[in-house]
Amino acid sequence: MDAIVQNNRKLGGLDERRIADAASCTRLVNVTRDRRTGGWSSRIGYEKFDPLPDVLYAPWATSGKCDALYVWDRHGGAQQWILWESGGTLSYVQDFAGAAGTAVTLRTIQSGRTAPAPGEPGTSFCPFGRDLVVLNGYDAPLRFRGWPVMQNNPSVPVYPLGWANVPAAPFAWGVDVAPPATSGKSVSIVADGSTEYGLGSATDGALNTYRWKVAFRTDTGSTSPVSAASNTVQWVTPAAGTYQGKRWVAYLEVPLGPDGTVARDIYRTKNLGSTDGELADEVYYYCGTIPNNAEKGYYDHWSDAQLASEAPGADDSVVLGPRAACRFAAEYDGCLWLSGNSSSGGRLWKSVAGRIDQFRALDVYDVASRDSGEVTGLFATRNYLLVLRERGIDMLRRSSSASGYEVWPLLGGAGCISPRAIAQVPQIGVIYMGADAAFYLISGAVDGGGTLSVTPISDELCGTLERANVSLLSRAVACYSPFWREFQCHFPADGSDRNNLGVVLHTDVGAWSTREGWPVGALAVTLEGDILFGHTEGYTSTARVPSGIFVQVPRQCAGHTVVQDGQDYTTIYADPLTSTIRSAWLAPGDAAQKLTPLYVDLHIETMGNPTLALVVYRDGNYTGVTHPEVVQQRADHIDQQVYGTMVLGSGVGEAPMPAVLRIAVHPGDAEGTGQTGGAASMLAWEVSTDAPFLITGYSFAYQPKDWTLPAARRPQ
Amino acid sequence: MSNGKFSAGEARATGLVDVADANRQYNALVGRLHGGLDRTNAESNWINRSHLVDYALQKVQVTNGIELASALQDNGGTAEFNGLCYDDYGGEWYPNSSLSLTGLKEGMLHIEFSSCYWIRSVDIAAPKAVRWRLLWDGQVVASTGEHFLDYGNIYLCADIPVAGDGTLSLEFSFTSMDTTYDVTSIPHFYFWGGSLLTRGVWR
């Protein structure tokens, strides 16, 4: 009977379902998509962030596992802040200062932070204008400004977010109209006789009464809550003598604000006269600003006629309060949105637009009314804010309601507990890992007649995702790289408490693959598209072990190995990762029909003399027949020149060429059922190697046999 | 690789002598030098101090002690101090100092000059004033108005495009002599403590 050839010129992605396309793969591990040929390349690996061999893993030599990693780019990449958190210490990577030869260092932003429990996602980051908001649900949230960095004075520009306390009331000195003062703090400064300057009434014998308040302002333009009222200052306008009918200047001791305060606003009552009523009934007006956070005194010389703007109300700015324990933040509609921690998990707070430190008392939104659980993350995209919850996905956007915003349920019954496993993918939408360890795509639009949809997209990964440790999905991390054209997610699997398995969606073709052996504790992407990750183990008690930040590169190496040379230690590139491609189970024709495989043609791009060994599996067996290795050269042409054979100065550079490796399938020792060789009803081939390869497709030739499966056996 | 610091390719033993693979790593590095490194974009993640030679991005020079030109320092025979006398100066712009700047590349030159001065006020009917100006290769790049106070500070600042080396000059102009009120043999003007900062930033 003639041979039958089945061509799959374009190898597809991973599909673990039993009924799958013939061009798909049942295993696709540690590969990347080659854009030019559309094939799967094994040329991928990771290396340490600082490539110098003699620094080993510095500055992370004693850093444990990475709890959080974030890359914050500003000014088109001219400033790039890589934030790293491990063991309760948040730092940024500094590799730009110092004299020649200065190594990469870590500068501490804050130490003594609460380290996340295994089931917690850890610190989250939200860029907002010139600040990066850092929060973890336990420690007070921070604003990291990044710049300026003082070379000689190692101060890090980090400030508290919002205000933890209401400013202390100012202290007003007394006004002594008959100096010298007899006792206590008082001033005796007469103002000009015009109505523009001076406090108090010009009427002889009038009683004058004043109080003051103060509020702080930060460099974000935010205004703090207004302080309590100061002590009361009273005096009687002189009815005779030198100062008859004169107005006076008051003096205040003004408290200093917390770090980040750039100005302090002073508010004052108008002359309360003899009506010393309830403080709550008093109206305060803006009367001046101290444009710094250093001066402790303020001379108030403005008359009542100059006061016009009323002070902010008590609700216009409040202390952080419950917001201090917020876990997640997002920037949406020009405001900073915060979500609560486990004790207030159904609340969202919104800052004043453009002022991330200022929150109004009534700008709170309760999303807990629906039975979708706590808020587990926030993600702003397009013109709405995704509110991730334990058992649902909500959407918040602007509306004409009294509050200005509405919360709509987008998806019920299935939520997201992996706030760091969500990414925006261009031209596709938002991909996130659901609480059921499946991936979902949010695409479409809500305006202009569009339709917003949530679609599961990981049916092909049914086998791999079953291994996910759903109790620890909060540790999952994901990112999208425009350079690699990959959405990748790493999560704990097989009962592990650390991320130890990754899946990659190659967005060019919508195909999945997996990553094994990658110690990804946290993921981040630079502006250029480099994928950085923090090591999932790091230093424990053994010296010179891999730790710190690593980068995904097109070099086949699984990090580095430390070697000793006398008294010195250096790093060399470690052995390559093993890349695996296993085809789909091929069962052409009648499922019971036996067939004899003849050969497998691998469509490759030549790589020179690195060898490939084909393994053929039959009828679902776990082990296959390993065939002799073959070089990746064209069989019917002279070999391309490789390293070791080319003569420098006379050789010609090569380029990979399309070629077909025809590998005859070994018939095996027997043709019976259940043996490693011989005929079969289903066949699959596999290449698993640490050699470089680029496989674009394959052809499979077989010959149907004239006998079929025997009848099913009865129990013995 | 995208940023030139990380690996962009790999030459494997027994593998092809792949031209594209070799070029990728080299081009990433060179491309980074061309596009990722300039006076506004010395990206913090790519280079550190060890990668730079001195004056790779900019050059700074501070010249202190600039004062009234020695040729004009005269006590007139009687005064206890030196200064500008009308028997040495008749008016208009006087080239007081000149500084030749070398090692400049195409880019921007930032210039700052500060000093303090003294003027003798003889009579309100004959007020005295002084003006300053900075010139780059003969072109005025910064100038002040007239300063009338007896003691004062002046400050000039300019940012100019430059194509290479050149000469920076400082000139002043003092009120010319009033024949009714002024005497030729006493000092009328002096300036001292001049500090000139020049900073060339390459394109």
Side-chain angles (χ1 to χ4, degrees), chain A residues 446-637:
Chain A
V446 292
D447 297 317
T451 303
L452 200 63
S453 62
V454 182
T455 310
I457 59 170
S458 60
D459 289 347
E460 299 92 329
L461 301 178
C462 47
T464 296
L465 295 179
E466 278 183 350
R467 299 164 56 189
N469 187 351
V470 292
S471 303
L472 290 175
L473 277 186
S474 55
R475 303 292 292 184
V477 291
C479 72
Y480 171 75
S481 164
F483 178 82
W484 289 91
R485 300 269 216 265
E486 292 178 359
F487 165 85
Q488 54 176 270
C489 177
H490 294 258
F491 52 90
D494 304 329
S496 172
D497 67 336
R498 313 277 171 100
N499 295 338
N500 60 351
L501 185 61
V503 293
V504 179
L505 177 66
H506 304 270
T507 56
D508 279 350
V509 291
W512 290 96
S513 71
T514 61
R515 295 271 162 88
E516 296 176 2
W518 292 66
V520 176
L523 270 174
V525 180
T526 67
L527 189 66
E528 298 86 8
D530 294 316
I531 298 176
L532 308 185
F533 65 87
H535 203 278
T536 194
E537 294 289 340
Y539 172 82
T540 51
S541 59
T542 306
R544 296 180 288 276
V545 296
S547 59
I549 297 178
F550 293 81
V551 187
Q552 179 173 314
V553 291
R555 170 190 278 269
Q556 284 185 276
C557 59
H560 301 262
T561 304
V562 177
V563 295
Q564 185 173 6
D565 180 13
Q567 298 295 321
D568 300 324
Y569 291 90
T570 60
T571 55
I572 59 173
Y573 288 106
D575 290 338
L577 295 161
T578 298
S579 302
T580 302
I581 296 181
R582 185 187 296 186
S583 73
W585 285 104
L586 308 169
D590 186 349
Q593 175 79 50
K594 283 289 189 181
L595 53 89
T596 301
L598 298 178
Y599 53 81
V600 173
D601 289 342
L602 294 179
H603 304 173
I604 66 162
E605 296 284 310
T606 56
M607 288 284 158
N609 292 344
T611 58
L612 296 181
L614 189 76
V615 180
V616 175
Y617 296 86
R618 290 173 165 79
D619 291 337
N621 284 343
Y622 307 133
T623 57
V625 176
T626 303
H627 291 65
E629 296 181 341
V630 295
V631 292
Q632 299 182 66
Q633 300 268 18
R634 295 174 300 169
D636 52 348
H637 294 270

Side-chain angles (χ1 to χ4, degrees), chain A residues 319-342:
Chain A
V319 296
L320 215 54
R323 302 164 194 79
C326 50
R327 285 186 299 184
F328 309 106
E331 187 271 322
Y332 169 68
D333 202 27
C335 305
L336 181 69
W337 293 79
L338 304 175
S339 74
N341 64 355
S342 57

Side-chain angles (χ1 to χ4, degrees), chain A residues 43 47 49 77-78 80 95 98-101 528 530 554-556 573 606-607 609-610 640 642-643 653-654 656 690, chain B residues 1-3 5-12 14-19 21 32 40-45 47-50:
Chain A
R43 303 182 70 174
E47 63 184 22
F49 181 79
Q80 184 177 81
D95 59 351
E528 298 86 8
D530 294 316
R555 170 190 278 269
Q556 284 185 276
Y573 288 106
T606 56
M607 288 284 158
N609 292 344
Q640 292 180 282
V642 300
Y643 283 102
E654 298 279 6
D690 60 4
Chain B
M1 181 54 70
S2 51
N3 84 339
K5 185 169 77 169
F6 308 128
S7 295
E10 180 188 10
R12 290 285 293 269
T14 73
L16 289 182
V17 184
D18 191 337
V19 171
D21 207 41
R32 198 68 169 177
T40 67
N41 200 27
E43 295 186 17
S44 62
N45 67 312
I47 62 169
N48 58 35
R49 189 61 184 86
S50 63

